[in-house]
Amino acid sequence: MTLRKPGLVAATAVVLALTATACGGGGDSGSDGEKINIGIKFDQPGLGLKTQDGEYTGFDVDVAKYVAKELGYDEKDIVWKEAPSGERENMIANGDVKFIVATYSITDERKERVDFAGPYFLAHQDFLVRADDDSTWNKDELNTKELKLCSVTGSTSAQNVKNKFAQEADLQEYGGYSECLTGLENEAVDALTTDDSILAGYAAQKEHQGKFKLAGLSLSDESYGIGLKKGDTELQKQINDALAKMVEDGSWEKAADKHFGPADYDYEPAPEITEKS
């Protein structure tokens, strides 16, 4: 059937409106196969990793998939977005993603710009050192050592160690943990500092086994939350409900065992959900 000009204009307007809706950064309802953009890390083994064959794996990835499913999205509808530590708040505020699951520690400073659901995991800051390092690591003595430390720009670990434990350390901040790991292996730095969950994932990788070890420090409690747009209380509740269900039906523990078990990492039980509006 041939459309007259007024009808054609109206039809075009409808198509453009639908296209704009479908291309929205975060995505809306998944009931009709619409896409949802979710932020994760691409370089954290055991948590959020993009493999060489283009697959996405890790505990955070499994949590994100479970939450997306409870929101009505099939796995095929997920568009994974890399969420570097220093860009997470901007990605959420700009609508580039619906939510972020990326070892995202809940802090008061971050809550000024974004809201969180959860927490869904509790980690502790530690040091990763070379396996042949015979130093005695004690958090009360870190300032007595001439340390070259590495962490990632925008992470709470970098701020925490510099402000509280090793003010005199030479702290180098790189864009990604892989760069820190290379520096540690090449002896350009003495230790990589971040959450023990992240460090355990790196140490457990096949190519790294036997090269590194955790120092055994517990410098902080890091409660991982799912970051979302500030003021979106409906989404916050939906995600919290999904996380509670994941724990209740055993999926949380199954995912934790799958990804942390090979590293012999003694992870904490699922934490109580506290981020509610």
Side-chain angles (χ1 to χ4, degrees), residues 4-5 24 34 48 71 89 99 108 117 123 138 149 155 184 223 249 260-261:
R4 297 179 185 273
K5 278 190 177 181
E34 295 177 6
L71 294 178
E89 287 83 45
F99 58 83
D108 290 339
N138 186 311
L149 300 179
S155 72
L184 179 59
S223 296
D249 69 15
F260 299 133

Side-chain angles (χ1 to χ4, degrees), residues 88 148 227:
R88 289 175 295 200
K148 291 183 179 179

Side-chain angles (χ1 to χ4, degrees), residues 9-214:
V9 171
T12 302
V14 170
V15 170
L16 289 174
L18 289 174
T19 301
T21 300
C23 293
D28 291 311
S29 171
S31 59
D32 297 320
E34 295 177 6
K35 300 298 183 182
I36 180 172
N37 295 346
I38 301 177
I40 58 170
K41 290 293 179 66
F42 279 15
D43 66 343
Q44 289 182 353
L47 288 152
L49 181 69
K50 182 179 181 180
T51 65
Q52 291 184 344
D53 56 4
E55 297 297 318
Y56 299 90
T57 181
F59 180 74
D60 281 357
V61 174
D62 283 357
V63 170
K65 287 179 181 177
Y66 192 99
V67 170
K69 179 189 68 175
E70 292 300 307
L71 294 178
Y73 295 92
D74 293 330
E75 188 173 330
K76 63 181 175 57
D77 298 325
I78 298 174
V79 178
W80 300 109
K81 298 288 186 178
E82 185 172 16
S85 294
E87 292 299 319
R88 289 175 295 200
E89 287 83 45
N90 289 334
M91 292 177 69
I92 293 170
N94 294 338
D96 298 329
V97 291
K98 190 75 170 179
F99 58 83
I100 289 180
V101 192
T103 58
Y104 203 178
S105 297
I106 301 170
T107 68
D108 290 339
E109 182 180 2
R110 288 170 176 166
K111 287 167 70 172
E112 292 179 2
R113 295 192 61 196
V114 302
D115 280 340
F116 287 94
Y120 66 92
F121 194 82
L122 178 61
H124 307 282
Q125 186 174 351
D126 200 353
F127 283 7
L128 188 71
V129 299
R130 289 179 290 277
D132 60 0
D133 187 323
D134 57 1
S135 303
T136 300
W137 293 94
N138 186 311
K139 65 181 180 181
D140 297 324
E141 299 176 357
L142 293 180
N143 264 330
T144 66
K145 299 175 180 287
E146 294 183 1
L147 291 176
K148 291 183 179 179
L149 300 179
C150 186
S151 194
V152 169
T153 304
S155 72
T156 56
S157 299
Q159 302 162 18
N160 192 45
V161 75
K162 191 67 176 173
N163 293 338
K164 296 181 180 179
F165 299 105
Q167 293 93 336
E168 303 303 318
D170 177 8
L171 178 64
Q172 301 179 32
E173 297 182 63
Y174 293 160
Y177 292 107
S178 298
E179 299 171 62
C180 282
L181 205 66
T182 300
L184 179 59
E185 186 170 6
N186 296 338
E187 300 188 18
V189 297
D190 300 311
L192 161 57
T193 182
T194 190
D195 304 345
D196 51 8
S197 56
I198 299 171
L199 299 176
Y202 280 115
Q205 282 188 296
K206 184 177 293 185
E207 64 268 30
H208 296 147
Q209 287 179 1
K211 294 181 179 180
F212 308 108
K213 64 182 180 182
L214 291 170

